[in-house]
Amino acid sequence: MLTRCLNEPVSRRGFEHGTRPQLMFICQAEGKAAALPRIMHKHEGRFELMFIQEGGGIYNIDGRSYHVERGDLLLFNAGVLHDEQPYVSDNLRIFSCGVEQLKFVGLPPDTFTAPSQRAVMPSGVFYQEIATLFQQMWRHASGQTRYGAEIADTLLSALLLLCRDIWPDAQQEQNNSESGLGQRIKDYIDRRYKDEIALKSLTAALNMNHYYLAHVFKAFSGYSPKQYQTRRRIGEAQSLLLSSDLGVTEVANAVGYDNVNNFHRIFHNLVGVPPARYKKFWLSGKTNIDGLSRSAIR
């Protein structure tokens, strides 16, 4: 008979002593109807984990662009801007979950990795195990079992520790002078995205040639400076539509658009539906948590 004793020291247990993460929600997005993009936004006070079971998309996390595909895991640390554009396909299937009270040893609350580490990782040989954990969390969180909420939290802990184990500490983003410049440009736009930012003022503030600035930022983020600013505005507009009682005109003004018709046109082009319809679509579902599929539970 083989016996394995789990008497590892606390430092190898992963979660900080006395803490346990809790599931805020779990979401399952399926098919073409679930492929509405969620433009640039962030969440305070929670961590999110996403799993691309089938399909793919283009995701921008903390200013870096990732082409994701089947089996990829995506991390959204608290306070980190991210942009979600799943590909429209019949076989699209994405699981995601919101987590509160996450505290790994040596990291800030609601943070899974250090800023220097990649935010996307293939699940590899753990694909089926991770898919099964998400499916079991979904079933138990939906109340199909007597102790569903507690079981779902236990499964969540197992999922997070498994992901933490396969996320190599040495897996870091490439840091060079251009990525540092890209971050500076991003930070400048983030602070002023509601204002009109002329390229001339941007280049003057950062003391850079405008051709070089545009090249550096495109390589860093996947967007031109103007595209990035627009996505910041529309992402904030999506959040306001879902989390406030503001009307469309008030939301447009709040994110820097004086012309509501212009806002309406840009929102429709980026999201695929007009602002009022977007709000009605999401809030008529089972949850009003921003950016979630209508099939979300907790």
Side-chain angles (χ1 to χ4, degrees):
M1 181 175 67
L2 298 177
T3 302
R4 176 74 170 95
C5 181
L6 294 176
N7 59 353
E8 297 173 347
V10 172
S11 61
R12 294 184 58 194
R13 292 281 182 174
F15 302 125
E16 194 166 276
H17 182 64
T19 67
R20 184 188 183 196
Q22 292 189 350
L23 182 68
M24 293 180 65
F25 63 82
I26 182 168
C27 162
Q28 180 179 242
E30 292 184 289
K32 292 181 179 179
L36 276 180
R38 182 63 174 94
I39 311 301
M40 202 74 67
H41 65 291
K42 60 183 176 180
H43 310 292
E44 302 296 345
R46 76 174 188 245
F47 164 75
E48 291 189 16
L49 175 67
M50 181 176 289
F51 176 58
I52 311 296
Q53 186 170 355
E54 299 291 344
I58 300 174
Y59 288 72
N60 187 292
I61 305 173
D62 201 19
R64 300 179 185 272
S65 184
Y66 300 88
H67 290 261
V68 306
E69 57 188 20
R70 179 183 186 271
D72 280 348
L73 290 155
L74 292 76
L75 307 178
F76 306 122
N77 289 328
V80 170
L81 284 163
H82 53 284
D83 191 303
E84 307 169 23
Q85 297 182 78
Y87 296 139
V88 178
S89 63
D90 290 326
N91 71 336
L92 178 69
R93 190 176 193 193
I94 299 174
F95 277 107
S96 62
C97 61
V99 183
E100 59 184 350
Q101 296 181 202
L102 176 65
K103 186 65 176 75
F104 281 112
V105 174
L107 288 174
D110 303 308
T111 302
F112 192 94
T113 58
S116 60
Q117 292 182 269
R118 287 180 57 84
V120 175
M121 184 71 66
S123 57
V125 297
F126 296 98
Y127 171 89
Q128 191 56 57
E129 187 172 355
I130 289 170
T132 299
L133 283 168
F134 267 112
Q135 290 160 5
Q136 290 178 340
M137 284 169 54
W138 175 266
R139 181 169 69 89
H140 289 289
S142 65
Q144 297 178 27
T145 56
R146 184 177 179 183
Y147 303 107
E150 188 168 351
I151 294 171
D153 282 339
T154 301
L155 291 168
L156 172 67
S157 292
L159 174 64
L160 291 171
L161 290 172
L162 174 62
C163 292
R164 180 77 171 163
D165 192 47
I166 67 176
W167 223 278
D169 292 336
Q171 185 68 38
Q172 297 184 343
E173 294 285 9
Q174 181 179 0
N175 288 317
N176 52 44
S177 59
E178 288 198 350
S179 66
L181 290 175
Q183 186 66 49
R184 285 179 58 201
I185 299 166
K186 173 185 175 296
D187 291 343
Y188 184 92
I189 299 173
D190 284 339
R191 290 192 298 269
R192 300 168 176 82
Y193 73 92
K194 296 180 183 180
D195 304 325
E196 290 300 325
I197 304 176
L199 183 60
K200 182 181 293 186
S201 64
L202 181 60
T203 55
L206 298 175
N207 193 28
M208 297 171 63
N209 175 277
H210 69 279
Y211 293 111
Y212 182 60
L213 182 148
H215 164 77
V216 166
F217 194 67
K218 180 74 172 180
F220 174 79
S221 71
Y223 304 121
S224 70
K226 185 63 177 177
Q227 287 173 327
Y228 182 83
Q229 181 188 14
T230 299
R231 300 190 78 84
R232 283 289 281 118
R233 285 180 166 184
I234 298 303
E236 181 64 20
Q238 285 181 299
S239 296
L240 289 173
L241 286 168
L242 299 182
S243 63
S244 74
D245 295 325
L246 296 178
V248 172
T249 299
E250 294 170 303
V251 168
N253 293 337
V255 299
Y257 289 102
D258 296 327
N259 186 323
V260 69
N261 291 327
N262 189 36
F263 166 72
H264 192 281
R265 176 183 58 81
I266 294 172
F267 189 103
H268 196 170
N269 286 343
L270 286 181
V271 181
V273 294
R277 184 179 168 193
Y278 174 82
K279 178 172 182 142
K280 183 178 180 181
F281 175 80
W282 289 116
L283 298 190
S284 64
K286 298 178 181 178
T287 181
N288 64 358
I289 298 174
D290 57 328
L292 296 185
S293 158
R294 297 178 68 192
S295 298
I297 50 180
R298 185 56 174 171

